[in-house]
Amino acid sequence: MVTSNFEYFAPTSVDEATSLLSKYRGEAKVLAGGHSLIPMMKLRLAEPGILVDIGQIEGLSYVRKEEDGVAIGSMTTYREMATSSVIQSNYPLLADASARVADLQVRNRGTIGGSLAHSDPAGDIPAVVLAIGGSVVARTRRSKREINIDRFQVDLLTTALRDNEIITEIKLPGLASGTGTAYSKFHQPASHYAITGVAAVITISGETCTDARIAVTGAGDKATRARRTERILKGKELTPPVIRRAASRAAAEIGDALNEDIHASAEYREHLTRIHAGYAIDQAVAAAG
Amino acid sequence: MRAYVETSGKGPTMSTEITVTVNGTAHTEAVEPRLLLAHFLRDVLDLTGTHVGCDTSQCGACTVHLNGEAVKSCTVFAVQANGAEVTTIEGLADGDTYSNVQQGFWDEHGLQCGFCTPGMIMTSEALLKQNPNPSEEEIRAGIAGNYCRCTGYQNIVNAIGAAAKAGK
Ligand SMILES: Cc1cc2nc3c(=O)[nH]c(=O)nc-3n(C[C@H](O)[C@H](O)[C@H](O)COP(=O)(O)OP(=O)(O)OC[C@H]3O[C@@H](n4cnc5c(N)ncnc54)[C@H](O)[C@@H]3O)c2cc1C
Ligand code: FES
Ligand code: FES
């Protein structure tokens, strides 16, 4: 399969890359790991006239411990995240989810920036970052802004990113002590994409749940917070009946927008969402203790 | 680097000059940006050991090493490999001496038709570099991105296990 023709640029700095995006606004697309964009171009679902490859820019892959959390460069690959000791110790669910994306070869190419920008409804990382919280740093030629992750995923394959912006960094907040995390997914056995995946970040103080962020992927159009589940958990002692009741509401926000495709019916996805919400919460609670 | 535009009889075609070091030899060629690395290797350099099975990023038959890491070369543009080192199945043996993984596939009968084998071997090499002593489960997870339609995988798993032992 041959993609349509395009003009190719390989800038070596973010400034050069953002200048190209401004100059060719509307026509140009960013190429990162290429593991969503190239397959889409082969199918001619995407036919950008210009590609700006950010893979030759030095200094976009890093995991850096900061005072109030961790900063991850947008070109950091799944493999780099899965094997980073900073990520393993600060956000075990991100290391675990990264190690379970696709396969060894895809994990060597796919990037955190690409997976957030692409916002695949079955992608793992959007839900994990949504459960951790934090923000996406986006730059244009002239400006730089931080987009709160809660406002980043807008719709199916659609984010708050503008077409002249490049994600340069993902900022994750430090997690309070007593926080446990987990990611539980039911994967499509060939691609490993999430048929349904649930990410949980839960803080427990004494016997009480003081904070909970739960995010669901695969079930709907985009990664979504399960706010009703969170509300049931917060302020309570997380006994098995409380967890069961909270998990049973995990698909509530998705409502009628449950996906239905060759892999699973809407009904089955709703069922899987509850089950995996239960697993993720159980595991996060165990990790918090 | 900027792609320049040539005008041929069929309208404009774009081409970019790239230098890629393949199995230790540097090659400089003018290519269309849309040329995939798999086709660059097969059609431009005539290294047909790299196979294209699915062309949809799934089967792993096209796996090569890009700067030492296993990638699916049907999902990388050749221009993205500009300045990089690529190793293909043709670059593994040292003269008549097979690599441990190649020898493992030979000894354990890790192939039938052989179509998946180059990609399977390139992934296995990368797997053993990451994890020199994998369990059977880790071997199976490591080759999850490579499909074989003949063997039922058992002898492939044995072959990789044998290569790991030989590497010790
Ligand atoms: C066989 C296969 C199996 C897969 N299985 C899984 C799976 O199990 N789970 C999963 O989550 N994903 C899976 N994926 C998708 C994979 O994770 C992709 O790598 C990822 O979705 C996109 O990241 P990328 O770096 O490859 O981005 P690209 O494909 O390069 O880009 C994707 C989109 O994001 C934009 N973009 C990329 N980076 C930036 C940036 N820094 N700033 C602004 N825009 C940007 C591009 O313009 C493009 O629109 C799979 C892919 C394949 C081919
Ligand atoms: S041909 Fe590249 S993955 Fe199948
Ligand atoms: S040996 Fe035939 S596909 Fe694997």
Side-chain angles (χ1 to χ4, degrees):
Chain A
M1 289 183 296
V2 183
T3 72
S4 52
N5 242 321
F6 56 87
E7 213 178 331
Y8 174 80
F9 293 91
T12 52
S13 70
V14 173
D15 282 344
E16 206 188 319
T18 50
S19 296
L20 286 163
L21 284 189
S22 297
K23 183 168 172 201
Y24 298 108
R25 193 164 180 179
E27 232 188 315
K29 253 195 165 312
V30 172
L31 175 66
H35 273 52
S36 290
L37 186 53
I38 296 174
M40 285 188 48
M41 288 174 67
K42 285 186 179 181
L43 296 170
R44 308 257 172 149
L45 294 171
E47 298 187 77
I50 288 167
L51 282 189
V52 177
D53 180 0
I54 59 172
Q56 305 289 333
I57 301 175
E58 298 260 339
L60 282 180
S61 11
Y62 54 86
V63 176
R64 201 164 51 218
K65 187 93 188 72
E66 313 231 297
E67 226 169 274
D68 50 354
V70 170
I72 305 177
S74 62
M75 284 298 287
T76 308
T77 62
Y78 298 118
R79 164 141 174 86
E80 287 162 340
M81 291 194 285
T83 54
S84 150
S85 57
V86 172
I87 293 183
Q88 286 167 355
S89 59
N90 288 276
Y91 312 103
L93 84 169
L94 179 56
D96 176 47
S98 300
R100 288 158 64 201
V101 169
D103 53 57
L104 181 148
Q105 296 98 309
V106 174
R107 289 193 295 272
N108 281 335
R109 293 297 287 173
T111 67
I112 184 169
S115 85
L116 290 174
H118 187 62
S119 191
D120 195 290
D124 296 302
I125 302 306
V128 169
V129 175
L130 193 56
I132 295 170
S135 58
V136 173
V137 180
R139 276 181 55 184
T140 68
R141 191 159 55 102
R142 291 183 206 287
S143 70
K144 178 174 168 178
R145 63 177 179 138
E146 278 188 31
I147 309 168
N148 187 314
I149 191 68
D150 277 312
R151 284 190 290 278
F152 186 74
Q153 317 289 344
V154 174
D155 204 344
L156 181 74
L157 304 177
T158 309
T159 69
L161 209 63
R162 302 189 186 111
D163 58 5
N164 62 342
E165 283 179 322
I166 290 180
I167 301 176
T168 53
E169 187 174 275
I170 290 71
K171 279 185 187 294
L172 302 179
L175 301 180
S177 70
T179 301
T181 77
Y183 179 62
S184 181
K185 85 164 157 173
F186 187 78
H187 66 261
Q188 205 285 334
S191 72
H192 292 218
Y193 271 113
I195 291 177
T196 300
V198 181
V201 175
I202 293 176
T203 309
I204 294 175
S205 171
E207 297 293 310
T208 312
C209 168
T210 53
D211 201 8
R213 287 178 68 102
I214 313 290
V216 179
T217 189
D221 292 347
K222 59 177 169 67
T224 308
R225 289 271 295 278
R227 291 182 191 269
R228 279 175 236 199
T229 299
E230 296 173 1
R231 275 202 294 274
I232 295 171
L233 297 171
K234 272 192 248 182
K236 294 204 192 62
E237 187 182 336
L238 300 186
T239 58
V242 171
I243 294 176
R244 220 174 309 126
R245 188 155 63 84
S248 75
R249 305 293 288 150
E253 269 78 11
I254 298 165
D256 295 337
L258 277 161
N259 285 340
E260 174 126 24
D261 59 21
I262 52 166
H263 305 304
S265 66
E267 190 188 5
Y268 186 40
R269 275 199 165 80
E270 181 173 32
H271 170 76
L272 289 172
T273 305
R274 294 163 190 236
I275 298 292
H276 284 271
Y279 292 159
I281 297 167
D282 276 341
Q283 289 164 25
V285 169
Chain B
M1 176 182 51
R2 194 194 154 123
Y4 60 89
V5 178
E6 286 174 351
T7 312
S8 76
K10 289 190 203 119
T13 58
M14 293 176 236
S15 92
T16 301
E17 194 172 275
I18 59 170
T19 300
V20 186
T21 302
V22 181
N23 302 329
T25 308
H27 297 271
T28 300
E29 301 284 345
V31 299
E32 276 193 350
R34 64 177 170 173
L35 183 71
L36 296 165
L37 180 57
H39 296 305
F40 176 73
L41 296 169
R42 290 179 55 83
D43 303 342
V44 179
L45 302 187
D46 221 14
L47 291 170
T48 53
T50 299
H51 293 167
V52 176
C54 66
D55 203 5
T56 55
S57 324
Q58 302 180 50
C59 75
C62 64
T63 302
V64 302
H65 294 184
L66 180 59
N67 289 330
E69 292 190 334
V71 303
K72 294 175 176 175
S73 64
C74 75
T75 315
V76 177
F77 291 120
V79 287
Q80 291 177 282
N82 188 23
E85 305 247 352
V86 172
T87 308
T88 68
I89 188 73
E90 289 92 344
L92 282 188
D94 181 7
D96 286 340
T97 311
Y98 285 155
S99 74
N100 285 339
V101 176
Q102 287 175 309
Q103 192 62 48
F105 273 69
W106 179 279
D107 292 341
E108 297 295 325
H109 198 72
L111 60 140
Q112 288 176 21
C113 81
F115 190 85
C116 70
T117 313
M120 205 56 97
I121 288 178
M122 297 312 288
T123 301
S124 309
E125 293 275 351
L127 169 66
L128 293 182
K129 215 159 42 151
Q130 290 177 9
N131 179 358
N133 200 8
S135 64
E136 179 181 337
E137 202 186 338
E138 286 167 338
I139 292 174
R140 290 184 183 274
I143 57 170
N146 292 76
Y147 298 172
C148 175
R149 297 293 79 158
C150 301
T151 63
Y153 299 96
Q154 193 53 50
N155 285 359
I156 292 176
V157 173
N158 294 347
I160 300 168
K165 249 196 215 127
K168 271 198 246 169

